[in-house]
Amino acid sequence: SGNTVTIKKEYLNQLSTGTATLTLNFSAGSPQTLTITISDTTPAPSQNSSNSSNSSSSSQGNAQLPAERPAGTTNTEVNILVNGKVEHAGTATTTQSNNQVVVTVAVDRKKLEEKLAAEGQGAVVTIPIETKSDIILGELNGQMVKNMEQKQAIVEIKTPNATYTLPAQQINIDSISERIGSAVALQDIKIKIEIAAPLKDTKQLVNSAAAREKFALVGPPVNFSVTAFYGDAQLEVSKFNAYVERTIALPDGADASKITTAVVVEPDGTVRHVPTKVVVIDGAYHAKVNSLTNSTYSLVWHPREFADAKGNWAKDAVNDMGSRMIVNGFEDGLFRPNQVMTRAEFAEMMVRGLGLKLDDGKAPFDDISASNWYNDAVKTAAGYALISGFEDGTFRPQDKITREQAMAILARAMKLSGLTNKLQTENADNLLNPFMDAGDVSAWAKSSISDALQSGIVTGKNNRMLDPQANITRAEVAVMIRNLLSKSGLI
């Protein structure tokens, strides 16, 4: 009686659910024992105890963790890197949920703000997590995200198997705040950036799609997500207005030459390509995946060679785009490289090439019905400002598309991919005049065609002809899309 016992938090963090007994030797009197009980819930206080259930100030009785702490929870300090400089600004909490190990790293707001102020604009905030777990979460609050956005900072969640690189402005905290309620303080909104192994049902969906579409999976799928939390409200950030990069480590023993792309398997089982290239990071092979959405990504091997592409000038591009599931053949297995394309077919191929998730609903054109096979692709292309249609409100989906119309759409795709930002300011006429038929280019298409030429997506025919009013062939489209993705650094 009258003695005070202090137990360090670090000791409690090392204990799992159960009990531990400590023997306490005081300078006077007999040895005393202290039983520490850790459970999922806080027991009601004993009738004989005058201390609160969370107290550890008695030489006898129970000392328990706060009720909100899950069983087996452990906390450890972790380092956060700001432009590669180490800062002790993170706390990692390990828990279990749905039989999965979850590691959440919460970043200290004050320390982060101090580092961002010192580093200036464009800082990269890296949250490295070496602990093996099923789910990795980087946790910020809305005010931290807002401060990072104003400083054009990038947050990077880095694990041994995957890295998620996310510009803060892509989280769009203002939109989240508006949806939750502007009266809610930003600092009370939690933003969790997640890299996770998907649940069993998702894995089964991916395996079924692989069997049906005849591609081989290279390693397990990986899920990337961003979610905002406030009270019971939960908002998922699923769409971005610029490509966001993820890297996935190739499994040990995997052949880097046998990765054709990454794919997303949608909840309905459909598969879409996302721009992917294999790179070497710290001496190991990784797949760098760029996407405009969050989802579950799988690396695949899907080689494709079209019989009628053999000997064609565009053979390499056609087969590469086929392997990446961007272009499809016909029911007879042929590609028909010299066949011209309709405007609807071109819109669909552009959407597939950019890895865009299809939008629901009717396309915003008077001559398109929701039941048309190309409706979703046209609506998606319009939603990303790749197409605008004609002044009379039509899209004319079955018209053959001209080369200048195709190049105008490609130039808009360059803005989406970020390629336009890499171009120098150049007079359009200076780029067009070397071509013998420059005078055939419509005035509205000059700027777009000059961008396509400057970027190297288009080189013209025999380097002397643009042939802007001619219809474009399937082979030409395959080459142009491949050039767009390559020049943009996406493949």
Side-chain angles (χ1 to χ4, degrees):
S1 176
N3 292 307
T4 299
V5 178
T6 300
I7 303 175
K8 290 185 177 181
K9 179 180 178 182
E10 288 77 3
Y11 177 80
L12 294 178
N13 288 340
Q14 294 174 13
L15 299 179
S16 58
T17 303
T19 62
T21 302
L22 301 181
T23 300
L24 308 175
N25 292 303
F26 299 103
S27 59
S30 302
Q32 302 292 320
T33 60
L34 172 66
T35 301
I36 302 174
T37 301
I38 299 176
S39 63
D40 291 333
T41 59
T42 302
S46 169
Q47 292 181 353
N48 297 325
S49 173
S50 60
N51 299 311
S52 68
S53 60
N54 289 331
S55 172
S56 60
S57 61
S58 173
S59 61
Q60 289 182 311
N62 294 329
Q64 292 128 0
L65 296 178
E68 65 270 21
R69 174 174 288 181
T73 296
T74 60
N75 289 343
T76 56
E77 287 189 358
V78 295
N79 293 328
I80 304 298
L81 307 180
V82 181
N83 286 342
K85 301 173 184 176
V86 176
E87 178 68 26
H88 304 296
T91 301
T93 302
T94 302
T95 57
Q96 286 198 358
S97 176
N98 296 323
N99 295 319
Q100 290 184 306
V101 178
V102 182
V103 174
T104 303
V105 176
V107 180
D108 185 287
R109 174 185 170 183
K110 183 178 180 181
K111 291 181 179 179
L112 179 61
E113 288 179 351
E114 290 173 352
K115 294 296 292 184
L116 290 176
E119 295 297 323
Q121 297 293 104
V124 177
V125 179
T126 303
I127 304 175
I129 304 171
E130 297 297 329
T131 305
K132 290 186 177 180
S133 64
D134 301 299
I135 300 174
I136 298 291
L137 291 167
E139 183 180 297
L140 308 166
N141 67 45
Q143 189 59 57
M144 295 162 70
V145 172
K146 185 64 177 179
N147 295 343
M148 293 177 68
E149 178 184 312
Q150 291 171 344
K151 292 186 175 296
Q152 298 179 325
I154 295 170
V155 60
E156 181 180 72
I157 310 297
K158 190 172 185 178
T159 78
N161 297 320
T163 300
Y164 192 5
T165 304
L166 180 63
Q169 64 183 8
Q170 291 301 322
I171 297 175
N172 199 348
I173 190 64
D174 288 342
S175 175
I176 292 172
S177 176
E178 183 178 339
R179 293 165 65 187
I180 289 177
S182 57
V184 176
L186 288 179
Q187 65 185 25
D188 294 332
I189 300 173
K190 287 185 178 180
I191 304 295
K192 293 188 178 183
I193 305 170
E194 176 180 308
I195 301 175
L199 296 173
K200 183 179 179 180
D201 290 349
T202 301
K203 293 179 181 178
Q204 291 177 342
L205 184 69
V206 172
N207 289 333
S208 297
R212 183 181 65 254
E213 301 293 336
K214 298 180 180 179
F215 57 76
L217 295 171
V218 183
V222 183
N223 183 67
F224 298 83
S225 66
V226 179
T227 310
F229 295 87
Y230 175 74
D232 294 331
Q234 180 175 323
L235 300 176
E236 185 175 356
V237 181
S238 58
K239 187 175 180 180
F240 307 113
N241 56 25
Y243 280 92
V244 172
E245 178 183 294
R246 308 144 181 84
T247 61
I248 301 173
L250 270 59
D252 292 340
D255 187 344
S257 67
K258 292 187 177 181
I259 305 289
T260 49
T261 190
V263 299
V264 170
V265 178
E266 304 289 6
D268 63 358
T270 58
V271 178
R272 63 180 168 94
H273 134 96
V274 280
T276 305
K277 63 180 178 180
V278 176
V279 298
V280 177
I281 301 175
D282 296 331
Y285 286 105
H286 292 70
K288 185 176 288 186
V289 181
N290 278 277
S291 177
L292 291 159
T293 61
N294 273 323
S295 194
T296 300
Y297 300 89
S298 300
L299 304 181
V300 305
W301 170 236
H302 179 260
R304 186 78 183 269
E305 292 188 7
F306 296 98
D308 59 341
K310 187 176 182 180
N312 187 276
W313 67 275
K315 178 189 72 172
D316 290 344
V318 169
N319 289 334
D320 185 23
M321 295 296 95
S323 298
R324 293 177 182 274
M325 306 184 198
I326 294 173
V327 302
N328 294 319
F330 292 87
E331 291 182 358
D332 57 8
L334 300 179
F335 180 71
R336 301 178 191 172
N338 297 319
Q339 181 172 305
V340 297
M341 297 191 74
T342 65
R343 288 170 54 81
E345 289 171 336
F346 185 79
E348 184 200 31
M349 198 171 289
M350 285 298 302
V351 166
R352 292 174 69 90
L354 293 167
L356 305 182
K357 178 179 173 62
L358 291 176
D359 288 339
D360 296 327
K362 182 186 174 303
F365 300 105
D366 295 339
D367 55 348
I368 292 181
S369 169
S371 61
N372 294 136
W373 67 264
Y374 45 78
N375 172 77
D376 291 353
V378 172
K379 185 177 189 300
T380 304
Y384 279 99
L386 299 176
I387 58 176
S388 56
F390 295 91
E391 293 180 357
D392 62 0
T394 64
F395 180 68
R396 305 175 194 175
Q398 301 300 344
D399 285 4
K400 305 300 182 185
I401 191 168
T402 65
R403 283 171 55 83
E404 71 174 6
Q405 289 173 345
M407 284 187 273
I409 295 173
L410 282 164
R412 294 170 189 151
M414 287 170 55
K415 295 179 181 178
L416 188 61
S417 73
L419 182 55
T420 303
N421 297 332
K422 301 177 184 178
L423 302 181
Q424 297 180 349
T425 302
E426 186 71 46
N427 183 280
D429 289 335
N430 292 340
L431 291 164
L432 297 176
N433 286 339
F435 293 90
M436 297 175 61
D437 56 352
D440 295 339
V441 175
S442 299
W444 62 266
K446 282 186 176 182
S447 177
S448 295
I449 293 177
S450 68
D451 284 350
L453 289 169
Q454 187 182 354
S455 67
I457 293 176
V458 176
T459 58
K461 293 183 175 181
N462 300 320
N463 295 322
R464 295 296 307 277
M465 300 290 288
L466 288 171
D467 210 4
Q469 304 305 325
N471 297 130
I472 199 166
T473 67
R474 288 170 57 83
E476 289 172 332
V477 172
V479 171
M480 289 180 181
I481 292 179
R482 190 194 197 197
N483 287 344
L484 167 67
L485 297 177
S486 178
K487 299 291 184 182
S488 300
L490 299 177
I491 65 172

